[in-house]
Amino acid sequence: MALSVRFNLLSSSISRSTASSSSSLPSNAVITVSSTIPSVSFFSSKPSLLASPKLPLRASRFSSIKASLSSSSSTAIAEPEGIKINSIPTKPIEGQKTGTSGLRKKAKVFMQENYLANWIQALFNSLPPEDYKNGLLVLGGDGRYFNREAAQIIIKIAAGNGVGKVLVGKEGILSTPAVSAVIRNRKANGGFIMSASHNPGGPEYDWGIKFNYNSGQPVPESITDKIYGNTLSINEIKVADIPDVDLSRLGVTKNGNFSVEVVDPVSDYLELLESVFDFQLIKSLLSRSNFRFIFDAMHAVTGAYAKPIFVDKLGASLDSILNGVPLEDFGHGHPDPNLTYAKELVNIMYGENGPDFGAASDGDGDRNMILGQGVFVTPSDSVAIIAANAQEAIPYFRSGPKGLARSMPTSGALDRVAEKLNLPFFEVPTGWKFFGNLMDAGKLSICGEESFGTGSDHIREKDGIWAVLAWISIIAHRNKDKKLGEKLVSVSDVVKEHWATYGRNFFSRYDYEECESEGANKMIEYLRDLVSKSKPGEKYGSYALQFADDFNYTDPVDGSVVSKQGVRFVFTDGSRIIYRLSGTGSAGATVRVYIEQFEPDVSKHDVDAQTALKPLIDLALSISKLKDFTGREKPTVIT
């Protein structure tokens, strides 16, 4: 039996796994491979004919990668149950400060000697031993470049630190929502997610790593701060001297008292979704001859989930899946589901005789974009509409949501739903972990961020496919009694009905990506100084200031406080301008400017958002002196 294993992680290079005969395995290694489920690769070297917007791939595939884990002067420190544990000397590496979404850098940075290994070991040094010793950890990622090599490093360090078992998705694939689902379903101690989310992948682009706790949510700042502190003092890495694991085959690999189980990345997640939604109701819509559906996986991780869920389970046609093969470089695309980077889908939906419903998800499957025929649903409106319709359309919410929440920059559309439904409402900083505490305390069911993240308390991450199924459920519920030939209730109908009931929150976000950090930081400091001197009633053009501040948040569950979460200018008519620096990229700074204005007049709801918001947009650019500080004439992305 040919197995993809290697005996020495600590050699001078990491190559693609090569076949070794089973007779060369050490005596303490036991391989159990499932023979009932065929081995299917989720990867392809060729993109589909319908390709995403391209980014140049400027380096060859893994022809020669320097070791990410050095073996110089390693010392054997233990042999529990026959496994040799080596202590590898190392030194601190600068720049390993962990943010709200883990550690993100260029792939080549992570491929430097000990760079990834230092961070993984620092994580174990930061956790109480009872959180991982002899425990179960989950490992998966979005399929991007370097994931398969990184998975082997993480597995060996986990074994070296006394972890009992690692559960890893086949080919290293597990979407971020699926990792959260598996952690919760298997009662794991936590899990690693190898992803840089919606950022590009490839030798010249981004890579990332983060850790989620046993509730399935990202670790809190108290842990990420400890990780960073330990990266500054680390002096050894504990590594098990075990072969690479064949991630292409389902089954269990045992080395002494340590085991790795390669699992189907879809099954746990699909089982959970089936408990949340009425799949028969959804299938009744997707199988209608007069309803057309399209889902763009953007050559990212949801390509591994799209066919099993939408086609095999829910009856959609195979040609409804666009860019459905996960690729290490996302087909040279930028896997960010917005109007700029998902342009191919947008063109289809806005084209002549476009489909009735369109959606896309991002690199790691936690973000979503919702479109109707010629209609873009803003993420702020999307979460509000899901919340307003959840109880009647989604079985999981049959008793009604427990509470609603949004990130601070997200528009106030959700606030109005919470008020009408008399539900508890929370405004939190950007970062999904702030929702997790509220969910664990039983205070929150549905939440969202304007950055294309929507989800509920079924897991502790935002969930792209969940949001798509929530929307299809709403459309299916509205059309369940429609006979063939009758006009169907459309996405546009649902959106306009919502605006007529609650009013419209015109909203737009301007992103200025990869700005020089110095200029971006100076702009924020200038705005903070402006805020400190501001007074209610001051005139900003035709707008009167209600208040201005730098958003601070006190967690109602544990009392923790976070500050400096975004500079806000809130005006007496409810309009808002917000400025933030985003840390989700791997280079430079992304300046985000958020503009919002409420409009109760139904006759004005069909005005284009950019037209309705132009006076406020001009004011936002004037107040911030953005061009002076960043040198940018235009935003990179407008949503």
Side-chain angles (χ1 to χ4, degrees):
M1 177 173 62
L3 296 172
S4 297
V5 295
R6 286 195 55 189
F7 293 100
N8 189 7
L9 172 70
L10 311 176
S11 62
S12 61
S13 66
I14 298 175
S15 65
R16 287 290 188 198
S17 298
T18 54
S20 318
S21 68
S22 58
S23 61
S24 62
L25 289 171
S27 60
N28 65 329
V30 179
I31 310 293
T32 306
V33 177
S34 169
S35 60
T36 60
I37 304 177
S39 177
V40 180
S41 176
F42 294 118
F43 294 92
S44 171
S45 60
K46 296 180 179 180
S48 68
L49 294 176
L50 294 173
S52 304
K54 302 298 186 213
L55 291 168
L57 194 60
R58 293 187 288 270
S60 62
R61 288 167 59 99
F62 289 81
S63 56
S64 178
I65 298 176
K66 295 297 182 182
S68 293
L69 189 53
S70 169
S71 61
S72 59
S73 305
S74 64
T75 304
I77 55 175
E79 295 196 18
E81 296 288 331
I83 300 178
K84 182 181 178 182
I85 308 299
N86 291 321
S87 172
I88 299 175
T90 190
K91 295 179 180 179
I93 301 172
E94 291 184 4
Q96 295 197 321
K97 176 71 173 174
T98 304
T100 58
S101 299
L103 182 65
R104 293 181 187 171
K105 301 286 181 181
K106 295 299 183 184
K108 284 187 174 180
V109 174
F110 273 103
M111 289 158 57
Q112 293 171 7
E113 183 178 289
N114 290 357
Y115 194 93
L116 173 60
N118 270 21
W119 191 90
I120 299 298
Q121 184 61 58
L123 168 71
F124 283 113
N125 294 347
S126 304
L127 298 175
E130 60 269 22
D131 282 357
Y132 63 88
K133 288 285 186 182
N134 301 312
L136 171 64
L137 295 181
V138 177
L139 172 63
D142 58 11
R144 71 178 54 228
Y145 182 88
F146 186 56
N147 274 17
R148 283 182 272 186
E149 285 70 20
Q152 303 296 344
I153 294 171
I154 293 168
I155 288 168
K156 290 174 170 66
I157 296 175
N161 282 271
V163 173
K165 182 176 182 178
V166 173
L167 203 76
V168 57
K170 184 180 177 183
E171 303 279 19
I173 287 279
L174 273 175
S175 71
T176 290
V179 170
S180 187
V182 172
I183 290 172
R184 294 171 66 80
N185 186 45
R186 306 288 183 110
K187 296 180 171 54
N189 297 74
F192 293 96
I193 300 174
M194 302 177 292
S195 174
S197 188
H198 56 291
N199 295 299
E204 302 296 328
Y205 296 105
D206 298 3
W207 200 84
I209 183 76
K210 74 172 184 176
F211 186 78
N212 283 22
Y213 245 156
N214 58 12
S215 65
Q217 75 183 76
V219 291
E221 286 188 1
S222 58
I223 297 297
T224 57
D225 288 345
K226 285 182 181 178
I227 295 171
Y228 178 56
N230 282 319
T231 66
L232 301 177
S233 60
I234 190 169
N235 56 29
E236 72 163 347
I237 305 164
K238 298 174 184 177
V239 184
D241 188 6
I242 58 176
D244 279 5
V245 176
D246 182 359
L247 301 182
S248 69
R249 301 177 66 119
L250 301 176
V252 179
T253 302
K254 293 185 178 179
N255 287 277
N257 62 350
F258 173 73
S259 64
V260 176
E261 183 178 358
V262 179
V263 299
D264 173 21
V266 179
S267 57
D268 287 53
Y269 179 62
L270 175 56
E271 181 182 349
L272 176 60
L273 292 177
E274 287 184 287
S275 73
V276 173
F277 298 101
D278 182 344
F279 269 38
Q280 283 304 118
L281 175 67
I282 295 172
K283 189 172 184 177
S284 70
L285 179 69
L286 294 186
S287 60
R288 291 184 70 122
S289 60
N290 60 339
F291 184 85
R292 290 185 300 141
F293 159 82
I294 186 168
F295 177 78
D296 187 357
M298 303 189 80
H299 286 308
V301 74
T302 52
Y305 296 80
K307 182 179 180 294
I309 295 174
F310 295 120
V311 178
D312 298 344
K313 273 287 182 180
L314 295 171
S317 62
L318 185 59
D319 61 8
S320 67
I321 308 302
L322 182 65
N323 299 317
V325 178
L327 299 172
E328 289 188 330
D329 61 1
F330 308 118
H332 300 192
H334 192 144
D336 191 354
N338 59 41
L339 297 174
T340 298
Y341 296 124
K343 191 66 176 175
E344 181 183 356
L345 175 65
V346 173
N347 288 341
I348 292 171
M349 294 303 299
Y350 278 78
E352 186 177 350
N353 196 30
D356 300 280
F357 183 92
S361 189
D362 71 326
D364 64 329
D366 63 352
R367 300 185 186 214
N368 73 94
M369 179 171 67
I370 303 297
L371 298 161
Q373 191 177 70
V375 177
F376 164 62
V377 184
T378 70
S380 297
D381 278 342
S382 179
V383 66
I385 292 169
I386 290 172
N389 291 275
Q391 188 169 4
E392 64 178 12
I394 303 172
Y396 184 81
F397 302 108
R398 197 67 78 209
S399 299
K402 301 165 189 170
L404 307 177
R406 62 166 173 82
S407 64
M408 181 273 289
T410 303
S411 90
L414 188 63
D415 312 35
R416 300 179 188 283
V417 175
E419 183 179 6
K420 185 177 179 65
L421 300 183
N422 195 28
L423 292 172
F425 173 77
F426 304 91
E427 182 182 39
V428 306
T430 298
W432 208 257
K433 61 188 175 185
F434 296 106
F435 295 127
N437 266 7
L438 295 167
M439 291 176 179
D440 288 343
K443 296 177 179 291
L444 175 61
S445 291
I446 298 173
C447 52
E449 297 179 330
E450 48 67 40
S451 53
F452 295 86
T454 322
S456 83
D457 60 347
H458 69 294
I459 56 171
R460 296 298 182 268
E461 287 279 5
K462 48 185 176 277
D463 189 343
I465 289 179
W466 175 92
V468 175
L469 293 177
W471 260 94
I472 299 174
S473 295
I474 293 168
I475 302 297
H477 179 76
R478 296 292 184 90
N479 290 292
K480 64 181 180 179
D481 297 323
K482 297 282 186 180
K483 294 181 174 59
L484 194 62
E486 288 187 277
K487 184 180 183 300
L488 298 181
V489 176
S490 67
V491 171
S492 178
D493 293 333
V494 171
V495 171
K496 289 181 178 180
E497 179 186 307
H498 184 87
W499 290 343
T501 302
Y502 295 94
R504 181 177 181 183
N505 288 75
F506 283 102
F507 180 86
S508 186
R509 188 182 87 188
Y510 278 36
D511 289 1
Y512 299 81
E513 296 177 352
E514 296 191 359
C515 295
E516 290 293 332
S517 295
E518 182 180 0
N521 284 314
K522 283 182 177 179
M523 187 191 85
I524 294 297
E525 288 306 316
Y526 165 76
L527 288 168
R528 284 174 177 153
D529 182 61
L530 200 61
V531 161
S532 69
K533 299 172 183 176
S534 67
K535 296 178 181 179
E538 285 182 342
K539 297 291 287 185
Y540 287 78
S542 61
Y543 298 89
L545 187 69
Q546 181 178 342
F547 71 87
D549 67 1
D550 198 349
F551 182 60
N552 295 327
Y553 176 70
T554 301
D555 193 303
V557 177
D558 62 18
S560 60
V561 177
V562 290
S563 58
K564 296 184 176 180
Q565 295 297 303
V567 176
R568 301 188 292 180
F569 290 81
V570 180
F571 302 100
T572 53
D573 67 348
S575 299
R576 298 191 305 163
I577 298 172
I578 298 163
Y579 306 89
R580 285 184 64 249
L581 296 186
S582 172
T584 58
S586 65
T590 295
V591 176
R592 302 199 197 279
V593 184
Y594 311 82
I595 305 99
E596 176 186 5
Q597 182 169 292
F598 178 67
E599 180 54 70
D601 187 345
V602 176
S603 68
K604 298 179 181 179
H605 286 171
D606 287 336
V607 176
D608 180 77
Q610 297 304 310
T611 301
L613 292 171
K614 189 177 187 310
L616 206 55
I617 292 168
D618 291 343
L619 179 61
L621 298 177
S622 173
I623 290 174
S624 64
K625 298 184 179 180
L626 188 144
K627 181 182 175 182
D628 294 341
F629 282 108
T630 68
R632 295 297 183 88
E633 293 276 354
K634 296 179 180 179
T636 313
V637 177
I638 297 175
T639 51

